[in-house]
Amino acid sequence: MQTETAKRPRWVPIATFLAIQAVLACWWAAFYPGLFSRDSVLYLSHTMAGPWVSDHSVAYDGLLWLSMRTTGDLGLVTLLQTTAMAAVLTYLAGALKALGAPRRSTTAVAILLPFLPPVGAFAVALWKDVPFTLCAVAIAAVCAGLAANRTLTGPRLAALGGLMTALGLFRANGFLVVAVAVVVLVVVVRTGRSRLALTGAVAAAVPLLLSNVVLPHAGIAAPSSTYVYHTAFGDVAVLYRDHPELFTDQDQTLMTAVAPLSRWREGGTCHTINTLIWRRDFSWQQADKHASELLGLWKRLLLEQPGLVVEARLCRGQIAWRPVQDEWAVGGETYYFSRRPTAETYVGPGKVPDYPERWVFSLRPKSPDLHRMADAWLVGSAAYDWLIWRGALWSYLSYAAVALAAWALRNRHVPAVAAVVAGQQLAILANISAQDFRYMATPIYIGMLLLPLLVAAAWRLVRRKRPPGDA
């Protein structure tokens, strides 16, 4: 193994990076300045129209603001995302090869990945989930290096701390991912467990401290109560639709102050909260005003009927554990991208604070031919939803890959590679709002790059069990 590593051509990582970047550059040209959604428009409105709010990601809001101030457009952000994507995929592929994955097939998978819409189109989406996913995949790469050397060095610990902190800066549930991942790493790693646990605790605490203490003093408003507790409100809707007998007249009076009871029933699909909170007759202002009372109602239901609340959460978290979508249920289909040409066609006038720079949210492809091909492939790829768009299958394959590799290589550190996969899967099961593929993009990338290692480990175990002299 050491001989193979020593002979490995140094140009391979550079060539891999350039090949991935070339493909991603085509996606960038096809969807310039980037794919966007309602959330994307809100990111920029925070900084341009104000007020700054930490309900999404202040770090990502700042990147969009900086791009607008320096270039007058958002293409710089998505271009940098493609470069970071190419670097992270190259990094993970190299780390897995150092661990024992077949070199040629792992390189081939890395180069083929950006052709897939969940990688290529995602890399040019104006979503905070893109840098979040890149940080998570980079964590897997650091852990693969840890497993290859079978030791946790100081630089790797520092890298894990920085990347885990970034998870919380780009997504509010990043601390949950960190908590689970650190637990897995502490079990796997033999030395430096206390340092690892401390690093994880600090990484999880820093974003929470910034959001709740530091940023408000800097004039950046905290998220609205409805934004923080919206999944709890979704649980209330599900239980009201299915078990109205659990709700007293006082409960229904409270709910009516926020939205008609018909909205609570219609919005009570367990697959998504969008049909509840993103409708005209649901008042965010009233929901914020009565947030503590609604949360009290949710807590009472949780204590009285914990099984029903857990069932609602498992249903909404299907994107994390179910390999196939529930296309017959309201909100049960996998969400990819909006693909709408302008902000107005997606958000509508008056839906967010207006600002002159809002025009940047319009698709302006650098190449109409590339746009037609990329868009057709993006739409057509929905036929392979279970295979390339949902991370559940790839989570399970990731666990199988690291388990077999740990057995075949006699290396107890290999499961560390999938620690962040477990973290993301369990965090989403605990708290998520809809069936968006982006919430489970990390396992897709890691799982696909682990395929060559899975096959190689299985083959090694088969050969090991053959009787001597057996052909």
Side-chain angles (χ1 to χ4, degrees), residues 8-18:
R8 183 174 57 195
R10 296 192 176 186
W11 57 264
V12 171
I14 298 175
T16 302
F17 169 82
L18 292 176

Side-chain angles (χ1 to χ4, degrees), residues 102-299:
R103 290 185 296 173
R104 291 182 180 177
S105 56
T106 302
T107 300
V109 171
I111 293 174
L112 289 173
L113 274 178
F115 286 95
L116 298 178
V119 181
F122 185 59
V124 297
L126 289 160
W127 270 336
K128 65 182 182 296
D129 305 87
V130 177
F132 173 88
T133 298
L134 293 174
C135 291
V137 176
I139 288 174
V142 174
C143 291
L146 179 160
N149 293 332
R150 308 188 186 211
T151 183
L152 178 62
T153 63
R156 285 199 181 94
L157 185 63
L160 286 175
L163 291 168
M164 288 177 173
T165 301
L167 288 183
L169 294 177
F170 287 118
R171 275 201 68 86
N173 67 347
F175 74 97
L176 292 174
V177 179
V178 171
V180 176
V182 168
V183 169
V184 175
L185 291 174
V186 167
V187 172
V188 169
V189 177
R190 286 183 173 177
T191 59
R193 287 174 171 169
S194 58
R195 291 185 301 149
L196 183 58
L198 178 61
T199 299
V202 172
V206 167
L208 294 175
L209 182 66
L210 286 173
S211 180
N212 294 291
V213 179
V214 178
L215 294 181
H217 283 87
I220 299 176
S224 69
S225 298
T226 301
Y227 182 82
V228 175
Y229 303 128
H230 62 292
T231 52
F233 298 169
D235 295 339
V236 171
V238 172
L239 267 65
Y240 180 71
R241 183 195 65 178
D242 296 339
H243 301 278
E245 72 278 2
L246 298 176
F247 294 78
T248 65
D249 291 341
Q250 184 178 0
D251 296 334
Q252 296 181 52
T253 300
L254 169 63
M255 294 161 64
T256 304
V258 176
L261 293 178
S262 60
R263 169 54 48 208
W264 288 97
R265 282 192 297 270
E266 292 174 22
T269 171
C270 64
H271 295 84
T272 179
I273 61 159
N274 294 337
T275 53
L276 173 66
I277 66 173
W278 297 119
R279 295 297 181 267
R280 291 180 183 273
D281 53 1
F282 184 94
S283 172
W284 275 61
Q285 183 179 8
Q286 290 298 314
D288 288 343
K289 181 179 178 180
H290 297 283
S292 60
E293 300 165 79
L294 288 171
L295 189 61
L297 171 58
W298 176 80
K299 290 179 179 177

Side-chain angles (χ1 to χ4, degrees), residues 43-44 47-48 52 57-71 73-78 80-81 84 126-128 130-132 134 169-170:
Y43 298 162
L44 198 58
T47 65
M48 294 297 180
W52 281 67
S57 167
V58 174
Y60 199 65
D61 291 352
L63 288 176
L64 298 189
W65 175 84
L66 185 61
S67 179
M68 285 298 302
R69 290 303 185 193
T70 56
T71 69
D73 210 337
L74 298 175
L76 177 61
V77 174
T78 47
L80 291 175
Q81 287 177 181
L126 289 160
W127 270 336
K128 65 182 182 296
V130 177
F132 173 88
L134 293 174
L169 294 177
F170 287 118

